[in-house]
PDB file of all heavy atoms in Angstrom:
ATOM      1  N   MET A 218       4.151  -0.598  10.332  1.00 90.00           N
ATOM      2  CA  MET A 218       3.010  -1.320   9.751  1.00 90.00           C
ATOM      3  C   MET A 218       3.462  -2.074   8.511  1.00 90.00           C
ATOM      4  O   MET A 218       3.116  -1.733   7.377  1.00 90.00           O
ATOM      5  CB  MET A 218       1.873  -0.348   9.431  1.00 90.00           C
ATOM      6  CG  MET A 218       1.241   0.268  10.660  1.00 90.00           C
ATOM      7  SD  MET A 218      -0.231   1.249  10.294  1.00 90.00           S
ATOM      8  CE  MET A 218      -1.395  -0.036   9.815  1.00 90.00           C
ATOM      9  N   ARG A 219       4.250  -3.092   8.733  1.00 91.00           N
ATOM     10  CA  ARG A 219       4.781  -3.913   7.649  1.00 91.00           C
ATOM     11  C   ARG A 219       4.297  -5.355   7.819  1.00 91.00           C
ATOM     12  O   ARG A 219       4.136  -5.844   8.932  1.00 91.00           O
ATOM     13  CB  ARG A 219       6.313  -3.884   7.646  1.00 91.00           C
ATOM     14  CG  ARG A 219       6.892  -2.481   7.620  1.00 91.00           C
ATOM     15  CD  ARG A 219       8.380  -2.507   7.292  1.00 91.00           C
ATOM     16  NE  ARG A 219       9.159  -3.239   8.270  1.00 91.00           N
ATOM     17  CZ  ARG A 219       9.737  -2.693   9.333  1.00 91.00           C
ATOM     18  NH1 ARG A 219       9.587  -1.408   9.558  1.00 91.00           N
ATOM     19  NH2 ARG A 219      10.447  -3.415  10.177  1.00 91.00           N
ATOM     20  N   PHE A 220       4.072  -6.011   6.706  1.00 94.00           N
ATOM     21  CA  PHE A 220       3.639  -7.404   6.753  1.00 94.00           C
ATOM     22  C   PHE A 220       4.151  -8.132   5.518  1.00 94.00           C
ATOM     23  O   PHE A 220       4.605  -7.504   4.553  1.00 94.00           O
ATOM     24  CB  PHE A 220       2.109  -7.506   6.839  1.00 94.00           C
ATOM     25  CG  PHE A 220       1.396  -6.989   5.614  1.00 94.00           C
ATOM     26  CD1 PHE A 220       1.065  -7.831   4.567  1.00 94.00           C
ATOM     27  CD2 PHE A 220       1.048  -5.647   5.510  1.00 94.00           C
ATOM     28  CE1 PHE A 220       0.410  -7.363   3.432  1.00 94.00           C
ATOM     29  CE2 PHE A 220       0.392  -5.168   4.386  1.00 94.00           C
ATOM     30  CZ  PHE A 220       0.075  -6.022   3.353  1.00 94.00           C
ATOM     31  N   LYS A 221       4.075  -9.454   5.548  1.00 94.00           N
ATOM     32  CA  LYS A 221       4.470 -10.277   4.412  1.00 94.00           C
ATOM     33  C   LYS A 221       3.237 -10.956   3.827  1.00 94.00           C
ATOM     34  O   LYS A 221       2.422 -11.515   4.565  1.00 94.00           O
ATOM     35  CB  LYS A 221       5.505 -11.323   4.822  1.00 94.00           C
ATOM     36  CG  LYS A 221       6.864 -10.734   5.181  1.00 94.00           C
ATOM     37  CD  LYS A 221       7.867 -11.815   5.532  1.00 94.00           C
ATOM     38  CE  LYS A 221       9.230 -11.209   5.850  1.00 94.00           C
ATOM     39  NZ  LYS A 221      10.238 -12.255   6.211  1.00 94.00           N
ATOM     40  N   ALA A 222       3.137 -10.883   2.506  1.00 96.00           N
ATOM     41  CA  ALA A 222       2.055 -11.563   1.792  1.00 96.00           C
ATOM     42  C   ALA A 222       2.637 -12.828   1.167  1.00 96.00           C
ATOM     43  O   ALA A 222       3.512 -12.749   0.304  1.00 96.00           O
ATOM     44  CB  ALA A 222       1.471 -10.646   0.723  1.00 96.00           C
ATOM     45  N   HIS A 223       2.150 -13.969   1.596  1.00 96.00           N
ATOM     46  CA  HIS A 223       2.659 -15.260   1.126  1.00 96.00           C
ATOM     47  C   HIS A 223       1.715 -15.825   0.070  1.00 96.00           C
ATOM     48  O   HIS A 223       0.548 -16.118   0.359  1.00 96.00           O
ATOM     49  CB  HIS A 223       2.768 -16.252   2.290  1.00 96.00           C
ATOM     50  CG  HIS A 223       3.769 -15.870   3.328  1.00 96.00           C
ATOM     51  ND1 HIS A 223       4.998 -16.484   3.450  1.00 96.00           N
ATOM     52  CD2 HIS A 223       3.722 -14.925   4.313  1.00 96.00           C
ATOM     53  CE1 HIS A 223       5.664 -15.949   4.458  1.00 96.00           C
ATOM     54  NE2 HIS A 223       4.909 -14.999   4.995  1.00 96.00           N
ATOM     55  N   SER A 224       2.223 -15.991  -1.127  1.00 96.00           N
ATOM     56  CA  SER A 224       1.483 -16.703  -2.169  1.00 96.00           C
ATOM     57  C   SER A 224       2.001 -18.139  -2.182  1.00 96.00           C
ATOM     58  O   SER A 224       3.200 -18.367  -2.412  1.00 96.00           O
ATOM     59  CB  SER A 224       1.703 -16.032  -3.529  1.00 96.00           C
ATOM     60  OG  SER A 224       1.138 -16.801  -4.564  1.00 96.00           O
ATOM     61  N   VAL A 225       1.113 -19.097  -1.917  1.00 96.00           N
ATOM     62  CA  VAL A 225       1.523 -20.495  -1.765  1.00 96.00           C
ATOM     63  C   VAL A 225       0.679 -21.376  -2.671  1.00 96.00           C
ATOM     64  O   VAL A 225      -0.292 -20.925  -3.288  1.00 96.00           O
ATOM     65  CB  VAL A 225       1.384 -20.949  -0.294  1.00 96.00           C
ATOM     66  CG1 VAL A 225       2.280 -20.116   0.609  1.00 96.00           C
ATOM     67  CG2 VAL A 225      -0.067 -20.835   0.175  1.00 96.00           C
ATOM     68  N   THR A 226       1.047 -22.640  -2.751  1.00 95.00           N
ATOM     69  CA  THR A 226       0.239 -23.589  -3.519  1.00 95.00           C
ATOM     70  C   THR A 226      -1.056 -23.881  -2.769  1.00 95.00           C
ATOM     71  O   THR A 226      -1.149 -23.669  -1.557  1.00 95.00           O
ATOM     72  CB  THR A 226       1.011 -24.890  -3.751  1.00 95.00           C
ATOM     73  OG1 THR A 226       1.287 -25.504  -2.478  1.00 95.00           O
ATOM     74  CG2 THR A 226       2.330 -24.617  -4.473  1.00 95.00           C
ATOM     75  N   GLN A 227      -2.057 -24.376  -3.481  1.00 94.00           N
ATOM     76  CA  GLN A 227      -3.344 -24.661  -2.845  1.00 94.00           C
ATOM     77  C   GLN A 227      -3.215 -25.689  -1.724  1.00 94.00           C
ATOM     78  O   GLN A 227      -3.782 -25.498  -0.640  1.00 94.00           O
ATOM     79  CB  GLN A 227      -4.346 -25.134  -3.899  1.00 94.00           C
ATOM     80  CG  GLN A 227      -5.756 -25.329  -3.365  1.00 94.00           C
ATOM     81  CD  GLN A 227      -6.402 -24.020  -2.941  1.00 94.00           C
ATOM     82  OE1 GLN A 227      -6.427 -23.060  -3.700  1.00 94.00           O
ATOM     83  NE2 GLN A 227      -6.932 -23.980  -1.717  1.00 94.00           N
ATOM     84  N   PRO A 228      -2.474 -26.795  -1.915  1.00 95.00           N
ATOM     85  CA  PRO A 228      -2.310 -27.745  -0.799  1.00 95.00           C
ATOM     86  C   PRO A 228      -1.638 -27.110   0.414  1.00 95.00           C
ATOM     87  O   PRO A 228      -2.032 -27.394   1.557  1.00 95.00           O
ATOM     88  CB  PRO A 228      -1.446 -28.859  -1.400  1.00 95.00           C
ATOM     89  CG  PRO A 228      -1.709 -28.777  -2.875  1.00 95.00           C
ATOM     90  CD  PRO A 228      -1.891 -27.333  -3.172  1.00 95.00           C
ATOM     91  N   ASP A 229      -0.623 -26.264   0.179  1.00 95.00           N
ATOM     92  CA  ASP A 229       0.042 -25.617   1.306  1.00 95.00           C
ATOM     93  C   ASP A 229      -0.905 -24.665   2.029  1.00 95.00           C
ATOM     94  O   ASP A 229      -0.871 -24.559   3.266  1.00 95.00           O
ATOM     95  CB  ASP A 229       1.276 -24.848   0.822  1.00 95.00           C
ATOM     96  CG  ASP A 229       2.419 -25.779   0.445  1.00 95.00           C
ATOM     97  OD1 ASP A 229       2.382 -26.955   0.854  1.00 95.00           O
ATOM     98  OD2 ASP A 229       3.337 -25.332  -0.271  1.00 95.00           O
ATOM     99  N   PHE A 230      -1.739 -23.976   1.274  1.00 96.00           N
ATOM    100  CA  PHE A 230      -2.696 -23.063   1.904  1.00 96.00           C
ATOM    101  C   PHE A 230      -3.716 -23.844   2.742  1.00 96.00           C
ATOM    102  O   PHE A 230      -4.017 -23.457   3.875  1.00 96.00           O
ATOM    103  CB  PHE A 230      -3.418 -22.235   0.838  1.00 96.00           C
ATOM    104  CG  PHE A 230      -4.476 -21.329   1.385  1.00 96.00           C
ATOM    105  CD1 PHE A 230      -4.136 -20.163   2.056  1.00 96.00           C
ATOM    106  CD2 PHE A 230      -5.827 -21.649   1.251  1.00 96.00           C
ATOM    107  CE1 PHE A 230      -5.119 -19.319   2.575  1.00 96.00           C
ATOM    108  CE2 PHE A 230      -6.809 -20.815   1.761  1.00 96.00           C
ATOM    109  CZ  PHE A 230      -6.449 -19.649   2.421  1.00 96.00           C
ATOM    110  N   ASP A 231      -4.235 -24.925   2.185  1.00 95.00           N
ATOM    111  CA  ASP A 231      -5.214 -25.733   2.920  1.00 95.00           C
ATOM    112  C   ASP A 231      -4.604 -26.289   4.205  1.00 95.00           C
ATOM    113  O   ASP A 231      -5.265 -26.303   5.257  1.00 95.00           O
ATOM    114  CB  ASP A 231      -5.720 -26.874   2.042  1.00 95.00           C
ATOM    115  CG  ASP A 231      -6.530 -26.373   0.850  1.00 95.00           C
ATOM    116  OD1 ASP A 231      -7.061 -25.251   0.915  1.00 95.00           O
ATOM    117  OD2 ASP A 231      -6.606 -27.104  -0.163  1.00 95.00           O
ATOM    118  N   LYS A 232      -3.337 -26.721   4.134  1.00 95.00           N
ATOM    119  CA  LYS A 232      -2.671 -27.259   5.326  1.00 95.00           C
ATOM    120  C   LYS A 232      -2.456 -26.158   6.350  1.00 95.00           C
ATOM    121  O   LYS A 232      -2.639 -26.369   7.556  1.00 95.00           O
ATOM    122  CB  LYS A 232      -1.330 -27.883   4.935  1.00 95.00           C
ATOM    123  CG  LYS A 232      -0.583 -28.505   6.120  1.00 95.00           C
ATOM    124  CD  LYS A 232       0.731 -29.107   5.702  1.00 95.00           C
ATOM    125  CE  LYS A 232       1.418 -29.801   6.879  1.00 95.00           C
ATOM    126  NZ  LYS A 232       1.631 -28.892   8.037  1.00 95.00           N
ATOM    127  N   TRP A 233      -2.068 -24.966   5.886  1.00 95.00           N
ATOM    128  CA  TRP A 233      -1.837 -23.847   6.803  1.00 95.00           C
ATOM    129  C   TRP A 233      -3.129 -23.476   7.527  1.00 95.00           C
ATOM    130  O   TRP A 233      -3.126 -23.256   8.744  1.00 95.00           O
ATOM    131  CB  TRP A 233      -1.296 -22.655   6.029  1.00 95.00           C
ATOM    132  CG  TRP A 233      -1.140 -21.417   6.847  1.00 95.00           C
ATOM    133  CD1 TRP A 233      -0.173 -21.141   7.774  1.00 95.00           C
ATOM    134  CD2 TRP A 233      -2.005 -20.262   6.829  1.00 95.00           C
ATOM    135  NE1 TRP A 233      -0.374 -19.901   8.330  1.00 95.00           N
ATOM    136  CE2 TRP A 233      -1.490 -19.340   7.766  1.00 95.00           C
ATOM    137  CE3 TRP A 233      -3.143 -19.938   6.107  1.00 95.00           C
ATOM    138  CZ2 TRP A 233      -2.085 -18.100   8.000  1.00 95.00           C
ATOM    139  CZ3 TRP A 233      -3.746 -18.705   6.332  1.00 95.00           C
ATOM    140  CH2 TRP A 233      -3.220 -17.795   7.264  1.00 95.00           C
ATOM    141  N   VAL A 234      -4.232 -23.425   6.808  1.00 95.00           N
ATOM    142  CA  VAL A 234      -5.531 -23.114   7.429  1.00 95.00           C
ATOM    143  C   VAL A 234      -5.868 -24.166   8.477  1.00 95.00           C
ATOM    144  O   VAL A 234      -6.297 -23.840   9.597  1.00 95.00           O
ATOM    145  CB  VAL A 234      -6.642 -23.020   6.364  1.00 95.00           C
ATOM    146  CG1 VAL A 234      -8.012 -22.921   7.032  1.00 95.00           C
ATOM    147  CG2 VAL A 234      -6.411 -21.831   5.451  1.00 95.00           C
TER     148      VAL A 234
END
Side-chain angles (χ1 to χ4, degrees):
M218 293 187 70
R219 307 193 299 268
F220 65 92
K221 291 182 178 180
H223 295 255
S224 173
V225 299
T226 63
Q227 186 67 52
D229 287 343
F230 177 75
D231 294 337
K232 182 180 184 303
W233 175 75
V234 171

